[in-house]
Amino acid sequence: MNVYERCLTAPVLPATALLLLVVAYWLLVILGALDIDVLNFDVDIDSSGGLDGLFGVGMAVFRFLNLGEIPLMLWVSVFGLSYWMTSVLWFDESSGLDAVILIQVILRNLTVAMVATKLITQPMLLLVDRTKVTRHHDLIGRIGEITTNEVSEHYGQARVAMGGSPLLINVRTRDGMLHKGDDVQIIDYDEEHHVFYVAKAPTEVNA
């Protein structure tokens, strides 16, 4: 069985589908047909907010895997490639003959891919932490543009020009709601929840 046939077998097919979606996303970004921020959803993972039971454990696992600590699509890309390589390299033709064995193999591959993703993304946190140090003190007072459909007290993102490539940050409002395309001014930073607070930019700035 060659590698192309292997990619379409039951144990490998989910990984192949995920990898193809990741490749399609980056191709569209490179070609300019898709904004790089489109699928970089705001993932807030804060296990200190009174969560308990299985939900609290799940949030702790996500944080351990660095999900929410680095850009979502970067994490998904690393995971998708790790999952596909694990599924292809650790392949057993007999695994697709029995449903129970098939599920076990898929779960095994997912677990290995998650561990690999944790190891690969861990060094990236150093870059993220250095960026955060700059953000916290330097971004207050800057003007940005809302990129999500809306920004409320619970959800939202904005893009801030930083000289080179724009910086995407998680933002919230303290009063009212803002909408996509609105110019906003960063007024504060929440250390506990790692979000910036914004308000409608002054009229003279918008003009």
Side-chain angles (χ1 to χ4, degrees), residues 173-184:
T173 61
R174 287 197 168 119
D175 183 27
M177 185 172 293
L178 299 166
H179 302 280
K180 186 172 184 177
D182 286 348
D183 289 324
V184 294

Side-chain angles (χ1 to χ4, degrees), residues 11-101:
V12 187
L13 187 58
T16 300
L18 177 59
L19 185 62
L20 289 175
L21 288 175
V22 169
V23 171
Y25 169 81
W26 288 113
L27 283 176
L28 289 173
V29 168
I30 292 172
L31 294 174
L34 190 67
D35 192 319
I36 194 171
D37 301 328
V38 167
L39 296 181
N40 273 317
F41 299 115
D42 183 7
V43 181
D44 289 330
I45 298 175
D46 182 8
S47 58
S48 62
L51 300 175
D52 53 14
L54 291 178
F55 186 61
V57 172
M59 294 300 99
V61 170
F62 287 156
R63 183 175 290 278
F64 172 76
L65 293 173
N66 299 328
L67 182 59
E69 298 295 322
I70 65 173
L72 178 62
M73 282 310 299
L74 178 58
W75 191 95
V76 172
S77 299
V78 174
F79 173 75
L81 182 59
S82 300
Y83 182 30
W84 182 80
M85 290 186 66
T86 300
S87 301
V88 170
L89 297 177
W90 202 350
F91 178 75
D92 181 1
E93 293 187 23
S94 63
S95 60
L97 301 178
D98 182 271
V100 175
I101 296 177

